[in-house]
Amino acid sequence: MYPKIPLAQTVIQLCKAKGIKHIILSPGSRNAPLTIGFTHDPFFESYSVVDERCAAFFALGIAQKTQEPTAVVCTSGSALLNYYPAVAEAFYSNIPLVVLSADRPKHLIGIGDGQTINQKNVFENHILYSANLKLDLKDEKNVPNHEDLPIFKNLEDKFERLLGLQKGIQTFNEEEINTAINISKLKKGPVHINIPFDEPLYNMVEALSVSPKVIEIPFKESEIEEHILKSCFEDWNSASKKMILVGVNQPNSIEQKWLDELSEDDSVIVLTESTSNLHHPHFFNSIDQLIAPLSEEEQKQLQPDILITFGGLIVSKKIKQFLRKYKPKQHWHIDEKDANDTFFCLNNHIKATPNQFFTEFLPKVTHYVKSHYSAVWSAVRQDRLVKHKQYLKTLPFSDFTVFNKILKSIPDHSILQVGNSSAIRYTQLFNLNKTLEVFCNRGTSGIDGSTSTAIGSAVANEKQTVFITGDLSFLYDSNALWNNYIPKNFRIIIVNNQGGGIFRILPGHKNTENFDTYFETKHNLTAEHLAKMYGLDYVKASDKVELKGALATFYDAGEQPKILEVFTPKAINDEILLDYFKNLK
């Protein structure tokens, strides 16, 4: 069965032709033609998620994991605005998200009709493309005002003219839909297709009335211009201090042989983050651990001649502060699409994938520059690791010790989704199991959709997905659990320190009523009743013994997803973290 409306048929057929398989639908009436079409076609995997904000992040999680466009479908009105946080995240994280919003016809907008807002170009500051489709001409009431039409000589002439208008509208809509989806696939980002429907909305037919044209993406293999490579060779071969800093990066996107080759160059150090998904014994994977204790003289010694960056946004504030103060002579960013001037010294945007650049560049590097850069900082790193382990032995039960235990417990080859704020920052301080694939919403770094994203990611793969989050982030997105698609092997670990613990390490007047209420937002809520309501197994821990016991069986197979809530003493967490960096000195 198909929706009767040709425009709905056109959207659905083109989504199918473009391989958009996952469709996340939120209930509504105006989007009924799309819902009918998607849910009656076995090609599509359709999901019903009531809360549009959760639905959009759920879709984002699928697209983040698969790197393929995923569609969200909503009714008209404020429903569409609830997509905005996820759209912004997709925009800054280069995730292909396709927003399909149903709308009322133009003549019903701005007259006080219900569930109606100005939907045209609503995401214009955070979208790669906005397609505003045209309403089908189904009868005379949809015809433009008579003054916009020529005078018809007879009735036959009138119908020929209307037929021509409909053909023009159909062609326009096909081209706009093709363009939007192609851009999302090619440039990896969000697009918005706004689709007006007039009533009746629920009529169905057994045969398609339109056969839309599929416009393929023009494939053009990108090449790095020879003069750019030549300039890079000259600078590289003369620099004795070269730093490579990697942000958010898809797993297995860089060939291991290039990582090995970089590690053998004494003039190169490679700094990675938990979200970089790159591993090598010689790489520096806990940046803050390295940077925080440095004296001013040591910082000057670490200052690179050349900085190469690739991947998404950087978590570490300390490396940002360092590189803004001690700027490299040159900053090259490797990315097919964008280059952020994060450190205010960008002078070379190399439009290629990192793997493509290293494939064309490294084999032609003529010689290694004699340098102690790598050796010196490798020795510093080893000293940091020794002090890190010593400090851990002295600690009481706290956020720090909990993250240490949790991160060591995650089974091999799992997907690790990490919430924002303190969760990702604690994760950055530890060596992770290199078989894990790590994801975090670092585009906008918000806490608003972390749980929904993690569940979407879990749905998109068969591996076990483990989600680590803080209490505020979890409670903020608790509607994420309101769906029927959470896999049985999905695991949530909530580190509950009764508020926004990260604010306690920032400058401010702690332990006052004002701070507790408006910054830390102190609370006594737990996830126990939410787990019961949504049918998840629940276990809690409040000390080392309970945590060890809970983790012993937490990842085992079961009939329901599981939540482990770990309660830590908020009064000491901030001091332990601040003392950690002092101790590294």
Side-chain angles (χ1 to χ4, degrees), residues 100-279:
L100 303 175
S101 60
D103 199 359
R104 274 156 163 70
K106 191 182 292 184
H107 66 272
L108 292 180
I109 295 173
I111 63 163
D113 206 37
Q115 222 167 327
T116 305
I117 64 170
N118 294 318
Q119 295 184 196
K120 184 178 179 181
N121 301 332
V122 74
F123 303 121
E124 64 179 332
N125 290 326
H126 298 93
I127 204 82
L128 296 184
Y129 192 81
S130 294
N132 298 288
L133 306 187
K134 295 181 178 180
L135 189 70
D136 289 316
L137 292 182
K138 64 173 185 176
D139 53 40
E140 282 194 54
K141 73 177 181 181
N142 296 128
V143 177
N145 292 332
H146 64 86
E147 60 266 20
D148 297 329
L149 295 175
I151 298 173
F152 299 115
K153 295 179 180 178
N154 53 52
L155 196 60
E156 184 179 350
D157 183 24
K158 179 177 182 178
F159 283 116
E160 282 183 7
R161 176 68 174 133
L162 294 182
L163 184 62
L165 279 173
Q166 179 57 49
K167 284 182 177 178
I169 288 172
Q170 179 66 22
T171 299
F172 172 85
N173 288 338
E174 289 175 11
E175 289 177 352
E176 285 293 284
I177 298 165
N178 271 286
T179 299
I181 298 175
N182 285 351
I183 286 174
S184 185
K185 288 172 74 76
L186 186 64
K187 295 189 176 181
K188 298 290 184 186
V191 295
H192 176 208
I193 303 175
N194 195 51
I195 311 157
F197 292 128
D198 205 354
E199 297 180 8
L201 302 167
Y202 292 87
N203 291 352
M204 293 186 281
V205 293
E206 294 183 4
L208 293 165
S209 60
V210 291
S211 180
K213 179 182 178 182
V214 178
I215 302 172
E216 300 297 335
I217 300 175
F219 178 75
K220 183 182 178 183
E221 190 170 358
S222 59
E223 295 182 358
I224 305 173
E225 295 181 21
E226 192 60 37
H227 73 91
I228 293 176
L229 282 173
K230 184 180 178 182
S231 174
C232 289
F233 290 136
E234 291 171 357
D235 295 328
W236 183 269
N237 288 333
S238 63
S240 62
K241 296 192 296 181
K242 300 182 277 275
M243 179 185 290
I244 297 176
L245 175 61
V246 188
V248 176
N249 188 62
Q250 281 290 313
N252 306 311
S253 60
I254 312 291
E255 290 182 64
Q256 188 64 38
K257 64 180 180 180
W258 305 133
L259 305 181
D260 294 340
E261 189 161 330
L262 289 168
S263 72
E264 293 170 3
D265 190 334
D266 290 337
S267 66
V268 174
I269 62 171
V270 180
L271 277 56
T272 65
E273 299 201 297
S274 302
T275 53
S276 300
N277 290 296
L278 290 182
H279 302 279

Side-chain angles (χ1 to χ4, degrees), residues 380-398:
V380 173
R381 181 189 60 174
Q382 286 305 116
D383 177 68
R384 298 278 195 270
L385 288 173
V386 170
K387 288 177 178 170
H388 172 89
K389 291 175 183 177
Q390 290 173 343
Y391 186 71
L392 269 170
K393 292 176 182 178
T394 69
L395 297 182
F397 187 74
S398 59

Side-chain angles (χ1 to χ4, degrees), residues 341-353:
D341 192 8
T342 305
F343 313 109
F344 313 125
C345 56
L346 180 74
N347 65 333
N348 193 356
H349 176 196
I350 300 168
K351 295 184 179 180
T353 66

Side-chain angles (χ1 to χ4, degrees), residues 90-91 94 128 187-190 335-339 349 351-352:
F91 182 75
N94 298 322
L128 296 184
K187 295 189 176 181
K188 298 290 184 186
D335 188 89
E336 290 181 294
K337 183 180 170 185
D338 297 316
H349 176 196
K351 295 184 179 180

Side-chain angles (χ1 to χ4, degrees), residues 75-76 98 139 190 234 236 249 288 298 327 364 503 570:
T75 191
S76 63
V98 177
D139 53 40
E234 291 171 357
W236 183 269
N249 188 62
D288 287 358
E298 288 172 323
K327 292 181 175 61
K364 298 175 184 176
F503 289 100
K570 70 170 184 174

Side-chain angles (χ1 to χ4, degrees), residues 345-513:
C345 56
L346 180 74
N347 65 333
N348 193 356
H349 176 196
I350 300 168
K351 295 184 179 180
T353 66
N355 201 63
Q356 180 190 359
F357 173 75
F358 292 132
T359 301
E360 294 191 37
F361 182 74
L362 289 180
K364 298 175 184 176
V365 172
T366 55
H367 65 280
Y368 290 154
V369 179
K370 287 185 178 181
S371 174
H372 299 293
Y373 193 51
S374 177
V376 166
W377 294 106
S378 293
V380 173
R381 181 189 60 174
Q382 286 305 116
D383 177 68
R384 298 278 195 270
L385 288 173
V386 170
K387 288 177 178 170
H388 172 89
K389 291 175 183 177
Q390 290 173 343
Y391 186 71
L392 269 170
K393 292 176 182 178
T394 69
L395 297 182
F397 187 74
S398 59
D399 281 357
F400 205 103
T401 60
V402 165
F403 272 89
N404 179 50
K405 293 293 184 185
I406 288 171
L407 293 170
K408 287 179 178 176
S409 73
I410 300 171
D412 288 353
H413 305 290
S414 298
I415 306 296
L416 174 59
Q417 284 272 350
V418 187
N420 270 307
S421 203
S422 58
I424 187 61
R425 297 191 184 281
Y426 272 112
T427 301
Q428 295 269 92
L429 298 177
F430 298 92
N431 291 331
L432 294 186
N433 179 340
K434 66 180 182 180
T435 71
L436 304 181
E437 297 179 26
V438 185
F439 298 90
C440 180
N441 288 348
R442 291 306 300 175
T444 61
S445 307
I447 68 169
D448 38 6
S450 296
T451 311
S452 297
T453 302
I455 294 172
S457 177
V459 166
N461 73 93
E462 294 181 358
K463 293 181 179 181
Q464 183 167 61
T465 298
V466 179
F467 174 51
I468 302 175
T469 183
D471 47 297
L472 287 190
S473 181
F474 173 77
L475 294 168
Y476 194 96
D477 194 29
S478 60
N479 268 2
L481 303 181
W482 186 10
N483 71 70
N484 299 318
Y485 312 105
I486 306 175
K488 294 178 182 178
N489 66 352
F490 183 62
R491 300 291 181 265
I492 300 175
I493 301 175
I494 305 166
V495 181
N496 189 336
N497 50 28
Q498 299 87 55
I502 196 169
F503 289 100
R504 299 184 68 85
I505 67 171
L506 301 175
H509 299 284
K510 292 178 285 189
N511 302 319
T512 65
E513 185 177 346

